[in-house]
Amino acid sequence: MKIALVDSGIGLLAAAAAVRRARPDADLVLSSDPGSMPWGPRETEDITAHALACAKAARAHEPDALIVACNTASVHALAALRAELEPELPVIGTVPAIKPAAESGGPVAVWATPATTGSPYQQRLIADFGRGAQFTEVPCHGLADAVETAREHAVDVAVGAAAALTPRGVRAVVLGCTHYELVGARIRAAVTESGGPEPVLFRSADAVAAQALRRI
């Protein structure tokens, strides 16, 4: 079995690790675009062009499925990727874990890139699967780029800025960008109130890996 993963940069590592845990025997093809990272601030057509280029490069290795391990690319380019690659190559997008987070009862904060925050796609997910829970969309300016470039201070600044926009008392935080899963411990610490319970972090990697295996 061979599974390809596409992202602008190292955000795909969270999904790659989830695939490895589920199927240690699977070969992985990692196709990224660090020279054009981050994709978040780009326009839809530009994001689509970069995502398609990565996907076509991965397709050359003849994978059994392709995971779009990027929330921004899934929001803006998933339809184009599926039109180009399916049915020959199953394409699995990354969806923010809105539904399981809503089941916690809320309130819920959704941390995402500025391109995803407030997008019709994300708002539709909240409307369809939010179960009436209180949701706050939190734009995380510069966080994905800071994670990608391993700038420790920049990560702390970006996490702190997003935490300041997160209402007090949230019970759950949806990590709406695959890069954020790599610094989940810092995010949890930043949104935990002194003496209060730690909010639950909801990630997408395991669900995406499971869906890829189902499609195969």
Side-chain angles (χ1 to χ4, degrees), residues 82-177:
R82 285 176 168 162
E84 176 73 24
L85 302 174
E86 290 188 339
E88 290 81 8
L89 177 61
V91 177
I92 297 88
T94 299
V95 178
I98 300 294
K99 185 175 181 179
E103 292 172 353
S104 71
V108 180
V110 183
W111 284 35
T113 64
T116 301
T117 300
S119 66
Y121 173 85
Q122 183 163 286
Q123 291 182 343
R124 186 169 63 252
L125 287 175
I126 293 172
D128 290 346
F129 302 109
R131 297 175 176 262
Q134 178 184 342
F135 277 82
T136 300
E137 297 181 82
V138 179
C140 303
H141 297 276
L143 180 53
D145 189 38
V147 172
E148 178 74 23
T149 54
R151 290 177 289 127
E152 298 286 341
H153 178 66
V155 170
D156 290 338
V157 170
V159 168
L165 298 175
T166 302
R168 295 174 60 85
V170 295
R171 297 176 58 183
V173 177
V174 175
L175 302 182
C177 170

XYZ file of all heavy atoms in Angstrom, residues 82-177:
684
model
N -10.179 16.785 -6.791
C -10.978 15.603 -7.082
C -11.368 15.538 -8.554
O -11.380 14.464 -9.157
C -12.214 15.581 -6.187
C -11.887 15.182 -4.758
C -13.070 15.235 -3.826
N -12.751 14.578 -2.550
C -13.420 14.745 -1.430
N -14.497 15.531 -1.415
N -13.055 14.120 -0.324
N -11.676 16.697 -9.139
C -12.023 16.724 -10.564
C -10.847 16.280 -11.426
O -11.031 15.637 -12.463
C -12.464 18.133 -10.957
N -9.640 16.597 -10.995
C -8.439 16.257 -11.751
C -8.012 14.800 -11.554
O -7.536 14.154 -12.484
C -7.295 17.186 -11.337
C -5.952 16.898 -11.980
C -5.886 17.288 -13.446
O -6.666 18.173 -13.856
O -5.062 16.717 -14.187
N -8.160 14.275 -10.346
C -7.513 13.007 -9.994
C -8.468 11.816 -9.843
O -8.060 10.678 -10.072
C -6.728 13.181 -8.694
C -5.644 14.262 -8.706
C -5.054 14.429 -7.320
C -4.566 13.938 -9.722
N -9.698 12.071 -9.398
C -10.629 10.962 -9.219
C -11.322 10.615 -10.529
O -11.398 11.450 -11.418
C -11.665 11.334 -8.143
C -11.054 11.396 -6.741
C -12.091 11.563 -5.646
O -13.218 12.020 -5.937
O -11.784 11.237 -4.501
N -11.794 9.399 -10.720
C -11.867 8.307 -9.741
C -10.606 7.442 -9.663
O -10.528 6.547 -8.828
C -13.049 7.483 -10.240
C -12.990 7.648 -11.735
C -12.529 9.067 -11.959
N -9.622 7.693 -10.553
C -8.436 6.835 -10.556
C -7.691 6.890 -9.231
O -7.151 5.883 -8.761
C -7.498 7.235 -11.693
C -8.017 6.919 -13.087
C -8.993 7.976 -13.581
O -9.141 9.025 -12.892
O -9.619 7.752 -14.638
N -7.646 8.082 -8.616
C -6.916 8.258 -7.365
C -7.839 8.882 -6.323
O -8.232 10.045 -6.456
C -5.692 9.166 -7.587
C -4.856 9.506 -6.355
C -4.281 8.239 -5.720
C -3.740 10.479 -6.721
N -8.221 8.144 -5.291
C -9.084 8.715 -4.251
C -8.387 9.887 -3.554
O -7.208 9.799 -3.195
C -9.294 7.550 -3.274
C -8.978 6.321 -4.060
C -7.925 6.714 -5.042
N -9.130 10.977 -3.361
C -8.589 12.185 -2.729
C -9.352 12.426 -1.426
O -10.580 12.538 -1.433
C -8.711 13.403 -3.657
C -8.208 14.671 -2.961
C -7.925 13.169 -4.952
N -8.627 12.510 -0.340
C -9.232 12.677 0.987
C -8.839 14.041 1.535
O -7.653 14.362 1.654
C -8.763 11.567 1.963
C -9.228 10.194 1.476
C -9.287 11.829 3.375
C -8.295 9.505 0.521
N -9.827 14.866 1.848
C -9.561 16.184 2.394
C -9.460 16.163 3.909
O -9.779 15.163 4.559
N -8.989 17.265 4.464
C -8.871 17.421 5.910
C -9.938 18.398 6.379
O -9.928 19.570 5.999
C -7.479 17.941 6.303
O -6.489 16.999 5.877
C -7.373 18.126 7.809
N -10.847 17.911 7.205
C -11.968 18.707 7.693
C -11.747 19.002 9.172
O -11.425 18.095 9.942
C -13.302 17.958 7.501
C -14.460 18.758 8.057
C -13.523 17.639 6.027
N -11.925 20.248 9.605
C -11.802 20.543 11.038
C -12.772 19.697 11.853
O -13.895 19.437 11.434
C -12.166 22.036 11.128
C -11.928 22.574 9.761
C -12.240 21.451 8.813
N -12.329 19.270 13.025
C -13.107 18.339 13.848
C -14.241 19.064 14.575
O -14.348 19.034 15.804
C -12.192 17.633 14.838
N -15.127 19.703 13.800
C -16.228 20.483 14.370
C -17.230 19.577 15.087
O -17.655 19.855 16.217
C -16.946 21.281 13.262
C -15.980 22.244 12.564
C -18.162 22.012 13.820
C -15.465 23.351 13.413
N -17.594 18.481 14.440
C -18.649 17.620 14.989
C -18.258 17.008 16.329
O -19.016 17.123 17.304
C -19.008 16.534 13.974
C -20.172 15.660 14.401
C -20.545 14.687 13.304
C -21.729 13.821 13.716
N -22.108 12.867 12.611
N -17.106 16.345 16.448
C -16.761 15.788 17.766
C -16.551 16.861 18.823
O -16.849 16.634 20.001
C -15.472 14.997 17.496
C -14.940 15.535 16.222
C -16.123 15.969 15.424
N -16.055 18.039 18.425
C -15.881 19.113 19.403
C -17.230 19.590 19.925
O -17.385 19.874 21.113
C -15.117 20.275 18.776
N -18.225 19.660 19.044
C -19.559 20.095 19.463
C -20.163 19.132 20.467
O -20.918 19.533 21.363
C -20.467 20.231 18.248
N -19.824 17.860 20.334
C -20.371 16.852 21.241
C -19.868 17.034 22.671
O -20.438 16.476 23.610
C -20.039 15.456 20.717
C -20.777 15.123 19.416
C -20.319 13.824 18.785
O -19.334 13.251 19.290
O -20.920 13.400 17.786
N -18.789 17.829 22.832
C -18.292 18.118 24.181
C -19.201 19.098 24.910
O -19.075 19.294 26.117
C -16.875 18.691 24.107
O -16.886 20.015 23.583
N -20.098 19.732 24.168
C -21.058 20.656 24.760
C -20.668 22.118 24.681
O -21.491 22.992 24.937
N -19.397 22.385 24.348
C -18.953 23.764 24.200
C -18.763 24.443 25.536
O -18.999 23.850 26.596
N -18.354 25.704 25.503
C -18.009 26.465 24.301
C -16.734 25.951 23.624
O -15.888 25.372 24.280
C -17.832 27.900 24.823
C -17.723 27.803 26.290
C -18.235 26.497 26.736
N -16.664 26.206 22.306
C -15.596 25.683 21.473
C -14.909 26.833 20.740
O -15.583 27.732 20.233
C -16.145 24.679 20.424
C -15.018 24.139 19.556
C -16.906 23.551 21.100
N -13.588 26.793 20.689
C -12.817 27.726 19.865
C -12.237 26.963 18.685
O -11.752 25.838 18.850
C -11.700 28.372 20.671
N -12.312 27.551 17.504
C -11.743 26.941 16.304
C -10.550 27.779 15.873
O -10.711 28.897 15.373
C -12.771 26.848 15.166
C -12.164 26.129 13.960
C -14.030 26.134 15.627
N -9.366 27.263 16.084
C -8.146 27.952 15.661
C -7.859 27.555 14.218
O -7.766 26.367 13.903
C -6.973 27.541 16.543
C -6.955 28.164 17.909
C -8.027 28.476 18.692
C -5.792 28.538 18.658
N -7.614 29.021 19.873
C -6.245 29.076 19.891
C -4.426 28.474 18.419
C -5.361 29.537 20.876
C -3.544 28.928 19.389
C -4.011 29.469 20.600
N -7.716 28.551 13.346
C -7.477 28.268 11.938
C -6.702 29.419 11.308
O -6.506 30.472 11.923
C -8.804 28.052 11.201
N -6.245 29.202 10.081
C -5.558 30.270 9.366
C -6.560 31.373 9.040
O -7.772 31.137 8.992
C -4.939 29.748 8.061
O -5.993 29.312 7.191
C -3.976 28.593 8.322
N -6.068 32.592 8.784
C -6.988 33.667 8.402
C -7.818 33.323 7.168
O -8.974 33.741 7.057
C -6.047 34.851 8.138
C -4.882 34.604 9.043
C -4.685 33.105 9.013
N -7.246 32.530 6.238
C -7.981 32.171 5.018
C -9.153 31.243 5.309
O -10.163 31.258 4.610
C -7.036 31.516 4.006
N -9.028 30.430 6.349
C -10.085 29.486 6.695
C -11.082 30.104 7.663
O -12.291 29.844 7.588
C -9.476 28.209 7.303
O -8.581 27.620 6.366
C -10.547 27.207 7.660
N -10.593 30.927 8.578
C -11.460 31.555 9.571
C -12.513 32.427 8.883
O -12.180 33.277 8.050
C -10.631 32.424 10.533
O -9.674 31.589 11.196
C -11.523 33.075 11.573
N -13.753 32.219 9.210
C -14.829 33.006 8.623
C -15.211 32.605 7.220
O -16.108 33.211 6.616
N -14.550 31.569 6.669
C -14.876 31.129 5.314
C -16.259 30.489 5.289
O -16.712 29.905 6.286
C -13.840 30.117 4.814
O -13.900 28.919 5.577
N -16.965 30.587 4.170
C -18.271 29.920 4.071
C -18.184 28.429 4.378
O -19.095 27.849 4.963
C -18.686 30.183 2.619
C -17.977 31.448 2.255
C -16.657 31.378 2.965
N -17.075 27.810 3.993
C -16.877 26.378 4.223
C -16.901 26.072 5.721
O -17.641 25.195 6.179
C -15.541 25.951 3.608
C -15.117 24.540 3.913
C -15.567 23.462 3.148
C -14.235 24.262 4.956
C -15.167 22.164 3.422
C -13.834 22.963 5.231
C -14.299 21.930 4.456
O -13.901 20.647 4.737
N -16.092 26.796 6.500
C -16.025 26.522 7.928
C -17.326 26.894 8.629
O -17.797 26.167 9.512
C -14.856 27.277 8.562
C -14.677 26.971 10.052
C -13.319 27.375 10.561
O -12.326 26.711 10.276
N -13.253 28.470 11.299
N -17.930 27.990 8.213
C -19.183 28.388 8.833
C -20.299 27.390 8.531
O -21.169 27.149 9.369
C -19.562 29.791 8.375
C -18.623 30.869 8.926
C -19.017 32.262 8.521
O -19.785 32.467 7.583
N -18.495 33.249 9.238
N -20.258 26.789 7.356
C -21.247 25.763 7.015
C -21.053 24.523 7.892
O -22.022 23.909 8.344
C -21.142 25.389 5.546
C -22.233 24.418 5.080
C -22.260 24.294 3.584
N -21.029 23.745 3.037
C -20.126 24.426 2.364
N -20.313 25.728 2.130
N -19.038 23.852 1.895
N -19.790 24.154 8.140
C -19.525 23.022 9.025
C -20.087 23.280 10.421
O -20.692 22.398 11.031
C -18.018 22.764 9.112
C -17.336 22.136 7.901
C -15.829 22.072 8.148
C -17.882 20.751 7.608
N -19.880 24.501 10.920
C -20.385 24.838 12.251
C -21.912 24.802 12.269
O -22.529 24.296 13.207
C -19.853 26.218 12.690
C -18.331 26.146 12.907
C -20.540 26.693 13.957
C -17.684 27.498 13.152
N -22.532 25.324 11.208
C -23.990 25.335 11.135
C -24.562 23.920 11.047
O -25.583 23.606 11.667
C -24.445 26.158 9.942
N -23.872 23.062 10.288
C -24.396 21.710 10.053
C -24.104 20.752 11.211
O -24.915 19.855 11.499
C -23.800 21.129 8.769
C -24.318 21.819 7.514
O -25.324 22.553 7.620
O -23.701 21.633 6.447
N -22.967 20.929 11.868
C -22.542 19.937 12.853
C -22.287 20.521 14.239
O -21.836 19.806 15.133
C -21.256 19.236 12.364
C -21.403 18.564 11.036
C -20.787 19.075 9.905
C -22.176 17.415 10.902
C -20.918 18.462 8.676
C -22.322 16.794 9.679
C -21.696 17.312 8.556
N -22.579 21.804 14.415
C -22.285 22.463 15.681
C -23.197 22.086 16.823
O -22.893 22.384 17.982
N -24.335 21.448 16.553
C -25.260 20.955 17.583
C -25.654 22.044 18.585
O -25.898 21.768 19.752
C -24.646 19.774 18.337
C -24.385 18.562 17.472
C -23.666 17.475 18.249
N -23.500 16.282 17.444
C -24.301 15.221 17.504
N -25.338 15.218 18.321
N -24.075 14.165 16.750
N -25.668 23.293 18.115
C -26.099 24.380 18.980
C -25.062 24.849 19.973
O -25.329 25.750 20.780
N -23.861 24.267 19.947
C -22.801 24.684 20.860
C -22.299 26.078 20.474
O -22.422 26.514 19.322
C -21.644 23.685 20.834
N -21.728 26.771 21.433
C -21.177 28.092 21.173
C -19.790 27.949 20.553
O -18.891 27.355 21.148
C -21.071 28.892 22.477
C -20.460 30.278 22.297
C -20.294 30.984 23.629
O -20.922 30.606 24.628
N -19.448 31.996 23.651
N -19.627 28.507 19.342
C -18.355 28.436 18.637
C -17.769 29.834 18.471
O -18.494 30.787 18.190
C -18.529 27.809 17.247
C -18.547 26.304 17.252
C -19.698 25.609 17.566
C -17.407 25.589 16.935
C -19.725 24.220 17.577
C -17.417 24.205 16.932
C -18.573 23.522 17.255
N -16.452 29.938 18.611
C -15.727 31.167 18.317
C -14.618 30.834 17.323
O -13.796 29.948 17.573
C -15.096 31.773 19.581
O -16.120 32.069 20.525
C -14.338 33.051 19.245
N -14.623 31.505 16.188
C -13.575 31.298 15.195
C -12.405 32.226 15.516
O -12.578 33.436 15.635
C -14.111 31.572 13.792
C -15.238 30.620 13.381
C -15.732 30.902 11.979
O -15.099 30.428 11.015
O -16.735 31.625 11.847
N -11.219 31.645 15.628
C -10.029 32.387 16.038
C -8.993 32.364 14.921
O -8.443 31.302 14.604
C -9.421 31.790 17.319
C -8.155 32.553 17.726
C -10.438 31.792 18.454
N -8.696 33.512 14.289
C -7.650 33.551 13.275
C -6.276 33.533 13.925
O -6.011 34.287 14.862
C -7.908 34.879 12.553
C -8.541 35.744 13.602
C -9.353 34.816 14.482
N -5.410 32.676 13.438
C -4.071 32.512 14.025
C -3.029 33.073 13.054
O -2.441 32.340 12.251
C -3.805 31.052 14.324
S -5.035 30.308 15.433
N -2.820 34.349 13.119
C -1.914 35.019 12.186
C -0.468 34.570 12.414
O 0.057 34.675 13.520
C -2.023 36.529 12.343
C -3.366 37.071 12.010
N -3.755 37.360 10.713
C -4.448 37.347 12.793
C -4.999 37.809 10.719
N -5.442 37.810 11.956
N 0.146 34.055 11.367
C 1.565 33.727 11.400
C 1.935 32.436 12.093
O 3.120 32.069 12.108
N 0.977 31.714 12.662
C 1.332 30.528 13.435
C 1.855 29.397 12.548
O 2.866 28.770 12.861
C 0.140 30.051 14.263
C 0.376 28.811 15.138
C 1.595 28.983 16.032
C -0.867 28.507 15.983
N 1.184 29.132 11.446
C 1.639 28.050 10.572
C 3.038 28.327 10.046
O 3.898 27.433 10.000
C 0.666 27.855 9.409
N 3.310 29.561 9.669
C 4.633 29.924 9.155
C 5.683 29.769 10.245
O 6.799 29.294 9.996
C 4.608 31.360 8.634
C 5.871 31.724 7.886
O 6.406 30.876 7.157
O 6.341 32.871 8.040
N 5.359 30.176 11.466
C 6.309 30.052 12.574
C 6.625 28.592 12.876
O 7.780 28.235 13.147
C 5.748 30.744 13.811
N 5.597 27.724 12.822
C 5.826 26.298 13.040
C 6.703 25.737 11.932
O 7.649 24.977 12.179
C 4.489 25.539 13.111
C 4.723 24.029 13.148
C 3.692 25.977 14.335
N 6.405 26.110 10.699
C 7.146 25.600 9.551
C 8.637 25.930 9.647
O 9.496 25.098 9.327
C 6.572 26.192 8.257
C 7.281 25.772 6.982
C 6.981 24.342 6.576
O 5.934 23.809 6.995
O 7.790 23.759 5.838
N 8.937 27.136 10.079
C 10.328 27.597 10.106
C 10.989 27.378 11.459
O 12.139 27.790 11.655
C 10.402 29.081 9.728
O 9.518 29.843 10.576
C 9.973 29.289 8.279
N 10.271 26.745 12.392
C 10.817 26.402 13.711
C 11.368 27.610 14.449
O 12.383 27.520 15.132
C 11.895 25.320 13.572
N 10.664 28.744 14.316
C 11.066 29.946 15.056
C 10.318 29.940 16.391
O 9.151 30.309 16.464
C 10.765 31.199 14.231
C 11.675 31.344 13.010
C 11.319 32.547 12.163
N 10.055 32.352 11.455
C 9.048 33.204 11.504
N 9.114 34.296 12.238
N 7.945 32.957 10.825
N 11.012 29.510 17.426
C 10.380 29.278 18.720
C 9.680 30.530 19.247
O 8.537 30.463 19.726
C 11.429 28.801 19.730
C 12.094 27.472 19.367
C 11.173 26.294 19.581
O 10.192 26.441 20.322
O 11.440 25.217 19.003
N 10.353 31.656 19.201
C 9.750 32.877 19.737
C 8.514 33.263 18.923
O 7.489 33.678 19.493
C 10.758 34.024 19.722
C 10.194 35.325 20.209
N 9.787 35.531 21.515
C 9.936 36.503 19.547
C 9.328 36.759 21.646
N 9.402 37.362 20.472
N 8.588 33.116 17.597
C 7.451 33.458 16.749
C 6.264 32.550 17.034
O 5.106 32.994 16.996
C 7.847 33.382 15.273
N 6.535 31.282 17.322
C 5.447 30.365 17.690
C 4.779 30.848 18.965
O 3.541 30.919 19.059
C 5.971 28.924 17.871
C 4.888 28.029 18.496
C 6.413 28.338 16.545
N 5.592 31.202 19.963
C 5.028 31.663 21.234
C 4.208 32.936 21.055
O 3.133 33.084 21.659
C 6.152 31.912 22.240
C 6.810 30.624 22.716
O 6.164 29.562 22.608
O 7.967 30.681 23.184
N 4.696 33.868 20.229
C 3.972 35.115 19.990
C 2.639 34.836 19.294
O 1.592 35.369 19.686
C 4.833 36.083 19.156
C 3.998 37.277 18.689
C 6.024 36.574 19.970
N 2.664 33.991 18.258
C 1.438 33.695 17.514
C 0.428 32.948 18.378
O -0.778 33.227 18.335
C 1.771 32.890 16.255
N 0.909 31.992 19.166
C 0.007 31.260 20.064
C -0.581 32.207 21.099
O -1.787 32.171 21.395
C 0.752 30.092 20.745
C -0.080 29.518 21.893
C 1.063 28.996 19.739
N 0.244 33.101 21.636
C -0.248 34.051 22.625
C -1.296 34.984 22.060
O -2.297 35.288 22.725
N -1.071 35.444 20.822
C -2.040 36.348 20.190
C -3.371 35.646 19.952
O -4.450 36.224 20.171
C -1.470 36.876 18.881
N -3.322 34.389 19.510
C -4.566 33.641 19.280
C -5.255 33.325 20.601
O -6.492 33.362 20.695
C -4.271 32.361 18.509
N -4.471 33.015 21.627
C -5.065 32.734 22.938
C -5.792 33.958 23.485
O -6.834 33.834 24.136
C -3.983 32.275 23.911
N -5.247 35.162 23.191
C -5.889 36.394 23.648
C -7.240 36.610 22.974
O -8.113 37.296 23.528
C -4.972 37.585 23.386
N -7.438 36.028 21.792
C -8.704 36.143 21.076
C -9.675 35.024 21.443
O -10.823 35.028 20.993
C -8.452 36.106 19.557
C -7.597 37.239 18.978
C -7.337 36.985 17.496
C -8.276 38.580 19.172
N -9.199 34.071 22.229
C -10.014 32.919 22.610
C -10.773 33.231 23.891
O -10.164 33.602 24.892
C -9.114 31.684 22.830
O -8.383 31.417 21.626
C -9.954 30.458 23.195
N -12.097 33.113 23.877
C -12.872 33.429 25.087
C -12.454 32.564 26.273
O -12.054 31.402 26.113
C -14.316 33.135 24.672
C -14.313 33.191 23.188
C -12.965 32.701 22.763
N -12.552 33.125 27.439
C -12.281 32.360 28.651
C -13.340 31.277 28.830
O -14.487 31.435 28.443
C -12.280 33.291 29.869
C -11.163 34.320 29.864
C -11.307 35.306 31.011
N -11.283 34.647 32.304
C -10.195 34.333 32.984
N -9.000 34.623 32.466
N -10.259 33.734 34.167
N -12.924 30.176 29.382
C -13.868 29.121 29.686
C -14.160 28.143 28.569
O -15.091 27.340 28.690
N -13.403 28.199 27.467
C -13.653 27.230 26.395
C -13.325 25.824 26.901
O -12.365 25.617 27.645
C -12.843 27.543 25.116
C -13.276 28.851 24.506
C -11.351 27.517 25.384
N -14.143 24.879 26.498
C -13.941 23.495 26.912
C -13.244 22.676 25.842
O -12.765 21.568 26.121
C -15.283 22.855 27.247
C -15.990 23.526 28.421
C -17.357 22.928 28.676
N -17.277 21.490 28.947
C -18.349 20.724 29.142
N -19.554 21.244 29.064
N -18.207 19.433 29.398
N -13.209 23.219 24.621
C -12.607 22.479 23.518
C -11.981 23.465 22.531
O -12.487 24.566 22.335
C -13.650 21.621 22.809
N -10.878 23.040 21.915
C -10.227 23.829 20.876
C -10.031 22.926 19.663
O -9.395 21.867 19.751
C -8.868 24.382 21.331
C -8.186 25.139 20.188
C -9.029 25.299 22.545
N -10.614 23.328 18.546
C -10.426 22.609 17.283
C -9.183 23.161 16.604
O -9.079 24.374 16.375
C -11.650 22.776 16.365
C -11.392 22.115 15.010
C -12.892 22.199 17.020
N -8.250 22.283 16.290
C -7.043 22.688 15.578
C -7.344 22.623 14.085
O -7.295 21.553 13.466
C -5.866 21.788 15.962
C -5.541 21.752 17.461
C -4.322 20.869 17.724
C -5.322 23.159 18.008
N -7.673 23.780 13.519
C -8.131 23.853 12.141
C -7.032 24.077 11.128
O -7.291 24.564 10.026
N -5.811 23.724 11.491
C -4.679 23.756 10.551
C -3.753 22.634 10.965
O -3.452 22.473 12.160
C -3.958 25.103 10.606
S -2.386 25.151 9.686
